[in-house]
Amino acid sequence: TIASWKLAPALAAGNTVVLKPAGLTPLSALELARIALERATVPTLSFPIDPFLPLALAEYTRATQIYPKYFDAWAGKGSVEQRLGRLPDAERSFRRSLEVQPGYENGLFRLGAVLELQGDLEGAEKVFAEGLTRHGKSTPLALRLAKIRSRLGRASADADWRRAIEIARGAASFRLYYAQWLVEQGRTNEARREAREVLRRRPRDVAALAILADSSGKAGDLLSEGLAAEKIFRATRSQADFDRLARIAAADPAYGARFDALARDFERL
């Protein structure tokens, strides 16, 4: 569209863009707004409120009035309402999008997320499960279902994690979530195995390294803890992580010798 042609170079140059949808043909601009919202947000309320969100909500509301069967407009309206913290309104909008277009993947995902935010975990589980039944290759739905069933303590949670990882083709982020859940379950050896798989794909992943360092420390293997913590420090360069290395070096002669040998290297970091 003409809007996207002009938007891209303006954003690439670091400019702020205000786009007013055409009165008679607003749908392309609204679709562009929906895509931008999807790329910029996750189902959470921790982001600042954009002062233009009320205007966006008014435009989406107008679109649903003009085209009440336009399911994407209902979903866009729900996304803005969610960002404004109006969760019951967002829930109604997402449900409306699904009435118009049953099985709509984005509508199912967003509805489940809003139910989760409102504390209705069982309702969210039902929506995510329905969504994954309809869209068996949907990585977002598979991930949310695994997370929600983990929170609910479902017996199927492990199988849900494995299915999500399979659908995501072994993506490092999915394996990391699974490893963190395994730690919570006390399944340390399995968590370490998954953390190593993450590191095969992302060698500097601090969260995966933390799983190895923390579990080694709890097992009394200070040398292994130090080696993993060293990689964390090289990635973060934080004083807290350096202090951890110093404590390990003081407690373990084997790592202490390595720490002394690398002192100048650490100082340069």
Side-chain angles (χ1 to χ4, degrees):
T1 66
I2 294 176
S4 61
W5 295 345
K6 296 187 176 183
L7 215 61
L11 292 174
N15 295 302
T16 298
V17 176
V18 177
L19 175 63
K20 182 179 183 299
L24 296 177
T25 57
L27 295 187
S28 61
L30 291 172
E31 177 68 7
L32 190 61
R34 183 188 67 80
I35 293 170
L37 278 172
E38 285 185 353
R39 297 297 184 270
T41 64
V42 294
T44 178
L45 291 177
S46 62
F47 39 70
I49 298 297
D50 188 322
F52 291 102
L53 285 177
L55 176 60
L57 179 58
E59 294 295 340
Y60 273 121
T61 301
R62 182 166 178 249
T64 60
Q65 292 168 346
I66 297 172
Y67 305 102
K69 293 187 177 181
Y70 183 38
F71 56 92
D72 254 359
W74 285 106
K77 180 174 178 285
S79 295
V80 176
E81 289 165 337
Q82 178 181 334
R83 292 191 63 186
L84 288 168
R86 295 166 53 175
L87 298 184
D89 291 340
E91 179 185 343
R92 283 189 288 272
S93 292
F94 291 132
R95 289 192 185 280
R96 180 62 175 142
S97 75
L98 291 167
E99 290 173 8
V100 175
Q101 183 71 20
Y104 173 42
E105 183 179 355
N106 185 49
L108 288 163
F109 176 81
R110 295 289 183 175
L111 175 58
V114 165
L115 291 173
E116 188 175 352
L117 286 169
Q118 294 181 100
D120 184 1
L121 302 188
E122 292 185 351
E125 177 190 21
K126 181 178 179 181
V127 171
F128 290 139
E130 178 189 346
L132 195 57
T133 298
R134 290 176 176 268
H135 306 279
K137 298 299 182 181
S138 172
T139 53
L141 287 168
L143 178 61
R144 294 314 307 173
L145 183 60
K147 284 191 170 187
I148 204 74
R149 283 185 170 163
S150 296
R151 292 180 65 185
L152 288 167
R154 301 300 194 209
S156 67
D158 190 85
D160 291 317
W161 278 116
R162 293 180 183 277
R163 175 171 57 175
I165 291 169
E166 181 181 359
I167 293 172
R169 299 181 180 180
S173 57
F174 282 54
R175 287 188 177 275
L176 178 59
Y177 291 134
Y178 181 42
Q180 291 168 333
W181 177 74
L182 288 169
V183 169
E184 294 173 359
Q185 303 306 303
R187 295 161 60 180
T188 304
N189 290 336
E190 294 170 83
R192 288 175 62 87
R193 185 165 55 246
E194 289 299 325
R196 290 192 185 98
E197 286 297 323
V198 173
L199 292 168
R200 283 182 58 236
R201 295 160 174 80
R202 298 195 309 218
R204 291 166 59 86
D205 191 291
V206 171
L209 288 167
I211 290 173
L212 297 182
D214 294 345
S215 59
S216 294
K218 289 178 180 178
D221 185 353
L222 297 183
L223 177 58
S224 294
E225 180 188 4
L227 293 174
E230 183 181 306
K231 293 179 181 179
I232 293 173
F233 172 65
R234 290 183 182 278
T236 65
R237 304 183 183 183
S238 78
Q239 185 63 48
D241 290 326
F242 180 80
D243 291 343
R244 179 182 189 177
L245 289 179
R247 288 194 300 271
I248 296 169
D252 184 71
Y255 186 73
R258 176 181 174 82
F259 182 80
D260 292 340
L262 293 173
R264 289 186 179 179
D265 185 31
F266 288 153
E267 288 175 2
R268 287 195 294 270
L269 294 175

